[in-house]
């Protein structure tokens, strides 16, 4: 693990991020999109980079046979505490699961924390290996403009250090927090829409849909209903 990444998640920030003050827009939208694409229970789902198990727990409660893999020991410990699915320490690039052993594979975190192109291809290739023929691989990435928008919304752009971070993000997609400022995101890669499609195809998978998750409601203080409407209207427009 990248040292900054390990330190960022060691404080437990991920455990409640999606459920503080109720289910987040990200959680609600992701579950809704998965519901339209996943095979019915009790299909086998491998949640790679599943963190503390928020998605795995919801899917297990819906009747799925879920296994979770994560690279951070704290996340695995927190995931095991749910008690409704298996959780193991592992690397998205080198899965222990056998060929075609899952009906669906989720990569909702690894692709934006693997900053090298070849590592992302390897993670996608591993997902292709362990998913059954015709099965689903669901991948989440962070958009190239995320820090620009977040920095505008939260006022981080008033800090010259954040301005430099955003400049690199926009130029290279490589996001870093060199001063380890609390509240700023950690080591990551931010995609442009065409890039994730190219990486998926390069791994031997086929792109079925490229879908926006949170939409503009993720950046503005809109009501839940309005945010969901906005996300749904624009979800199939990559730009």
């Amino acid at each position: 693990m990248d040292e900054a990444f390990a330190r960022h998640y060691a404080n437990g920030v991920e455990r409640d991020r999606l459920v503080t003050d109720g289910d987040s827009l990200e959680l609600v939208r992701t579950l809704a999109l998965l519901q339209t694409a996943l095979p019915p229970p009790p299909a086998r789902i491998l949640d790679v980079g599943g963190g503390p198990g928020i998605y795995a727990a919801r899917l297990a409660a819906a009747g799925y046979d879920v296994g979770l893999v994560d690279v951070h020991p704290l996340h695995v410990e927190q995931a095991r505490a749910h008690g409704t699915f298996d959780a193991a320490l592992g690397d998205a690039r080198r899965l222990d699961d056998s060929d075609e052993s899952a009906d669906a594979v989720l990569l909702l975190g690894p692709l934006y924390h693997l900053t090298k192109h070849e590592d992302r291809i390897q993670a996608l290739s591993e997902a292709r290996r362990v998913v059954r023929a015709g099965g689903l691989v669901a991948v989440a990435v962070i958009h190239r403009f995320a820090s620009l928008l977040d920095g505008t919304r939260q006022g981080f752009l008033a800090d010259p250090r954040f301005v430099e971070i955003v400049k690199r993000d926009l130029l290279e997609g490589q996001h870093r927090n060199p001063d380890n400022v609390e509240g700023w995101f950690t080591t990551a890669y931010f995609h442009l829409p065409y890039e994730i499609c190219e990486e998926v195809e390069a791994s031997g998978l086929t792109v079925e849909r490229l879908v926006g998750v949170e939409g503009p409601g993720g950046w503005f203080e809109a009501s839940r209903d309005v945010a969901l409407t906005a996300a749904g209207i624009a979800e199939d427009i990559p730009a």
Side-chain angles (χ1 to χ4, degrees):
M1 290 182 290
D2 172 88
E3 181 181 346
F5 166 91
R7 184 169 49 249
H8 177 81
Y9 287 110
N11 64 9
V13 64
E14 193 66 11
R15 187 186 66 178
D16 299 320
R17 181 181 66 84
L18 294 172
V19 293
T20 299
D21 299 324
D23 290 353
S24 66
L25 178 62
E26 177 185 343
L27 177 62
V28 171
R29 279 282 296 165
T30 301
L31 287 172
L33 291 167
L34 288 175
Q35 187 176 20
T36 68
L38 287 172
R44 173 68 175 174
I45 298 178
L46 183 63
D47 188 1
V48 181
I54 300 298
Y55 288 104
R58 300 294 180 98
L59 293 167
Y64 286 100
D65 175 17
V66 182
L68 180 145
V69 176
D70 198 89
V71 72
H72 203 296
L74 176 60
H75 289 167
V76 175
E77 177 186 336
Q78 292 171 336
R80 287 174 175 164
H82 289 282
T84 56
F85 53 88
D86 296 328
L89 198 66
D91 187 328
R93 299 164 295 179
R94 292 179 294 274
L95 297 173
D96 293 331
D97 300 79
S98 57
D99 295 358
E100 298 194 30
S101 57
D103 297 298
V105 177
L106 309 183
L107 289 167
L108 303 182
L111 265 288
Y112 53 79
H113 282 310
L114 292 171
T115 58
K116 295 181 180 179
H117 174 78
E118 58 268 27
D119 286 339
R120 295 193 295 274
I121 298 296
Q122 181 61 32
L124 288 163
S125 298
E126 276 291 271
R128 177 179 57 81
R129 179 183 65 79
V130 303
V131 78
R132 65 168 174 80
L136 173 74
V137 176
V139 177
V141 297
I142 297 177
H143 196 279
R144 180 65 56 87
F145 304 143
S147 61
L148 176 66
L149 292 168
D150 199 39
T152 302
R153 179 172 65 96
Q154 300 205 56
F156 296 153
L157 286 170
D159 190 321
R161 296 173 299 173
F162 198 82
V163 171
E164 293 305 310
I165 290 172
V166 171
K167 285 180 179 179
R168 184 180 181 188
D169 290 356
L170 296 176
L171 184 64
E172 305 173 5
Q174 296 290 349
H175 180 85
R176 301 293 187 274
N177 181 3
D179 296 316
N180 299 308
V181 178
E182 186 175 354
W184 295 1
F185 200 48
T186 187
T187 305
Y189 182 78
F190 294 168
H191 282 80
L192 291 171
Y194 77 88
E195 290 179 315
I196 185 56
C197 293
E198 290 181 349
E199 290 174 357
V200 166
E201 298 282 357
S203 72
L205 293 163
T206 300
V207 177
E208 292 288 339
R209 290 186 75 193
L210 178 65
V211 184
V213 178
E214 295 179 75
W219 303 108
F220 300 102
E221 295 195 8
S223 70
R224 174 58 58 85
D225 288 345
V226 168
L228 289 172
T229 298
I233 291 172
E235 67 181 22
D236 287 307
I237 304 173

Short mmCIF file of all heavy atoms in Angstrom, two decimals, residues 1 8 29 34 37 39 42 50 55 57 78 83 98 103 109 132 148 152 169 184 211 215 227-228:
data_model
loop_
_atom_site.label_atom_id
_atom_site.label_comp_id
_atom_site.label_asym_id
_atom_site.label_seq_id
_atom_site.Cartn_x
_atom_site.Cartn_y
_atom_site.Cartn_z
N MET A 1 0.83 -1.20 0.00
CA MET A 1 0.00 0.00 0.00
C MET A 1 0.87 1.25 0.00
O MET A 1 1.91 1.28 0.64
CB MET A 1 -0.91 0.03 1.23
CG MET A 1 -2.03 -1.00 1.24
SD MET A 1 -3.09 -0.82 2.70
CE MET A 1 -1.98 -1.38 3.98
N HIS A 8 -4.37 7.28 5.52
CA HIS A 8 -5.69 7.89 5.33
C HIS A 8 -6.80 6.99 5.85
O HIS A 8 -7.73 7.45 6.52
CB HIS A 8 -5.90 8.19 3.84
CG HIS A 8 -7.24 8.75 3.50
ND1 HIS A 8 -7.56 10.08 3.65
CD2 HIS A 8 -8.37 8.15 3.01
CE1 HIS A 8 -8.81 10.29 3.28
NE2 HIS A 8 -9.32 9.14 2.88
N ARG A 29 -27.49 5.41 -5.03
CA ARG A 29 -27.39 5.29 -6.49
C ARG A 29 -26.64 4.03 -6.91
O ARG A 29 -27.04 3.34 -7.85
CB ARG A 29 -26.70 6.53 -7.05
CG ARG A 29 -27.62 7.73 -7.22
CD ARG A 29 -28.49 7.59 -8.46
NE ARG A 29 -27.66 7.58 -9.68
CZ ARG A 29 -28.10 7.20 -10.86
NH1 ARG A 29 -29.33 6.75 -11.01
NH2 ARG A 29 -27.30 7.25 -11.91
N LEU A 34 -26.72 -1.32 -9.31
CA LEU A 34 -26.38 -2.74 -9.20
C LEU A 34 -27.64 -3.61 -9.29
O LEU A 34 -27.62 -4.69 -9.89
CB LEU A 34 -25.66 -3.01 -7.88
CG LEU A 34 -24.22 -2.49 -7.78
CD1 LEU A 34 -23.69 -2.72 -6.36
CD2 LEU A 34 -23.32 -3.18 -8.79
N ALA A 37 -28.55 -4.67 -12.69
CA ALA A 37 -27.57 -5.42 -13.47
C ALA A 37 -27.19 -6.77 -12.87
O ALA A 37 -26.77 -7.67 -13.60
CB ALA A 37 -26.30 -4.58 -13.64
N PRO A 39 -27.28 -10.52 -11.25
CA PRO A 39 -28.18 -11.68 -11.32
C PRO A 39 -28.94 -11.80 -9.99
O PRO A 39 -28.51 -11.22 -8.98
CB PRO A 39 -27.22 -12.86 -11.52
CG PRO A 39 -25.92 -12.39 -10.93
CD PRO A 39 -25.86 -10.91 -11.21
N PRO A 42 -29.51 -16.47 -5.06
CA PRO A 42 -28.32 -16.34 -4.20
C PRO A 42 -27.01 -16.37 -4.98
O PRO A 42 -26.08 -17.10 -4.63
CB PRO A 42 -28.43 -17.58 -3.31
CG PRO A 42 -29.01 -18.62 -4.24
CD PRO A 42 -29.93 -17.88 -5.19
N GLY A 50 -13.64 -4.01 -1.06
CA GLY A 50 -14.95 -3.72 -0.47
C GLY A 50 -14.92 -2.92 0.81
O GLY A 50 -15.98 -2.68 1.41
N TYR A 55 -21.38 -2.25 1.25
CA TYR A 55 -22.11 -2.86 0.14
C TYR A 55 -22.28 -4.36 0.36
O TYR A 55 -23.36 -4.91 0.10
CB TYR A 55 -21.38 -2.60 -1.19
CG TYR A 55 -21.48 -1.17 -1.65
CD1 TYR A 55 -20.41 -0.29 -1.52
CD2 TYR A 55 -22.67 -0.68 -2.20
CE1 TYR A 55 -20.51 1.03 -1.93
CE2 TYR A 55 -22.78 0.64 -2.61
CZ TYR A 55 -21.69 1.49 -2.47
OH TYR A 55 -21.81 2.80 -2.86
N ALA A 57 -22.57 -6.02 3.08
CA ALA A 57 -23.60 -6.29 4.08
C ALA A 57 -25.00 -6.12 3.49
O ALA A 57 -25.90 -6.93 3.76
CB ALA A 57 -23.43 -5.36 5.28
N GLN A 78 -13.20 -4.66 10.14
CA GLN A 78 -14.53 -4.05 10.23
C GLN A 78 -15.55 -4.84 9.42
O GLN A 78 -16.71 -4.99 9.83
CB GLN A 78 -14.46 -2.61 9.75
CG GLN A 78 -13.66 -1.70 10.68
CD GLN A 78 -13.42 -0.32 10.09
OE1 GLN A 78 -13.43 -0.14 8.87
NE2 GLN A 78 -13.20 0.67 10.95
N GLY A 83 -20.50 -10.14 10.17
CA GLY A 83 -20.86 -11.53 10.45
C GLY A 83 -21.77 -12.19 9.45
O GLY A 83 -22.28 -13.29 9.71
N SER A 98 -10.65 -18.82 -7.45
CA SER A 98 -10.43 -19.65 -8.63
C SER A 98 -11.14 -19.09 -9.85
O SER A 98 -12.02 -18.22 -9.73
CB SER A 98 -10.90 -21.08 -8.36
OG SER A 98 -12.26 -21.09 -7.98
N ASP A 103 -20.38 -15.05 -9.84
CA ASP A 103 -21.36 -14.60 -10.84
C ASP A 103 -21.20 -13.12 -11.15
O ASP A 103 -21.57 -12.65 -12.22
CB ASP A 103 -22.78 -14.87 -10.33
CG ASP A 103 -23.05 -16.34 -10.13
OD1 ASP A 103 -23.00 -17.08 -11.13
OD2 ASP A 103 -23.28 -16.75 -8.97
N GLY A 109 -13.69 0.29 -5.56
CA GLY A 109 -12.66 1.11 -4.94
C GLY A 109 -11.28 0.99 -5.56
O GLY A 109 -10.57 1.99 -5.70
N ARG A 132 -17.65 -15.67 -13.91
CA ARG A 132 -18.08 -16.68 -14.87
C ARG A 132 -18.30 -16.06 -16.24
O ARG A 132 -18.52 -14.85 -16.36
CB ARG A 132 -19.37 -17.36 -14.39
CG ARG A 132 -20.56 -16.43 -14.33
CD ARG A 132 -21.86 -17.17 -14.13
NE ARG A 132 -22.97 -16.23 -13.94
CZ ARG A 132 -23.59 -15.59 -14.92
NH1 ARG A 132 -23.19 -15.75 -16.19
NH2 ARG A 132 -24.59 -14.77 -14.65
N LEU A 148 -11.43 19.58 -8.65
CA LEU A 148 -11.77 20.95 -9.05
C LEU A 148 -13.14 21.33 -8.51
O LEU A 148 -13.34 22.41 -7.95
CB LEU A 148 -11.75 21.07 -10.57
CG LEU A 148 -12.18 22.42 -11.16
CD1 LEU A 148 -11.19 23.51 -10.78
CD2 LEU A 148 -12.31 22.32 -12.68
N THR A 152 -13.93 23.76 -5.24
CA THR A 152 -14.78 24.94 -5.40
C THR A 152 -15.89 24.93 -4.35
O THR A 152 -16.13 25.94 -3.67
CB THR A 152 -15.40 24.96 -6.81
OG1 THR A 152 -14.35 24.97 -7.78
CG2 THR A 152 -16.28 26.19 -7.00
N ASP A 169 -3.99 17.11 -11.03
CA ASP A 169 -5.13 16.23 -11.32
C ASP A 169 -5.62 16.43 -12.75
O ASP A 169 -5.85 15.47 -13.49
CB ASP A 169 -6.28 16.53 -10.36
CG ASP A 169 -6.00 16.07 -8.94
OD1 ASP A 169 -4.95 15.46 -8.71
OD2 ASP A 169 -6.84 16.35 -8.07
N TRP A 184 -8.62 16.22 3.05
CA TRP A 184 -8.34 16.14 1.62
C TRP A 184 -8.10 14.68 1.26
O TRP A 184 -7.59 13.90 2.07
CB TRP A 184 -7.11 16.96 1.25
CG TRP A 184 -7.28 18.43 1.45
CD1 TRP A 184 -8.38 19.09 1.92
CD2 TRP A 184 -6.29 19.44 1.19
NE1 TRP A 184 -8.16 20.44 1.97
CE2 TRP A 184 -6.88 20.70 1.53
CE3 TRP A 184 -4.99 19.43 0.72
CZ2 TRP A 184 -6.20 21.90 1.40
CZ3 TRP A 184 -4.30 20.63 0.59
CH2 TRP A 184 -4.90 21.86 0.93
N VAL A 211 -21.88 4.69 -16.71
CA VAL A 211 -22.99 5.35 -16.04
C VAL A 211 -22.49 6.33 -14.98
O VAL A 211 -21.62 5.99 -14.17
CB VAL A 211 -23.91 4.31 -15.35
CG1 VAL A 211 -25.12 4.99 -14.73
CG2 VAL A 211 -24.34 3.25 -16.33
N GLY A 215 -24.08 12.20 -10.21
CA GLY A 215 -24.59 13.31 -11.00
C GLY A 215 -24.32 14.66 -10.35
O GLY A 215 -23.60 14.76 -9.36
N ALA A 227 -31.70 15.38 -6.27
CA ALA A 227 -30.39 14.83 -6.62
C ALA A 227 -30.54 13.51 -7.38
O ALA A 227 -29.82 13.26 -8.36
CB ALA A 227 -29.56 14.63 -5.36
N LEU A 228 -31.45 12.66 -6.94
CA LEU A 228 -31.67 11.38 -7.62
C LEU A 228 -32.24 11.60 -9.02
O LEU A 228 -31.88 10.90 -9.97
CB LEU A 228 -32.61 10.50 -6.79
CG LEU A 228 -32.01 9.93 -5.50
CD1 LEU A 228 -33.09 9.25 -4.67
CD2 LEU A 228 -30.89 8.93 -5.82
#
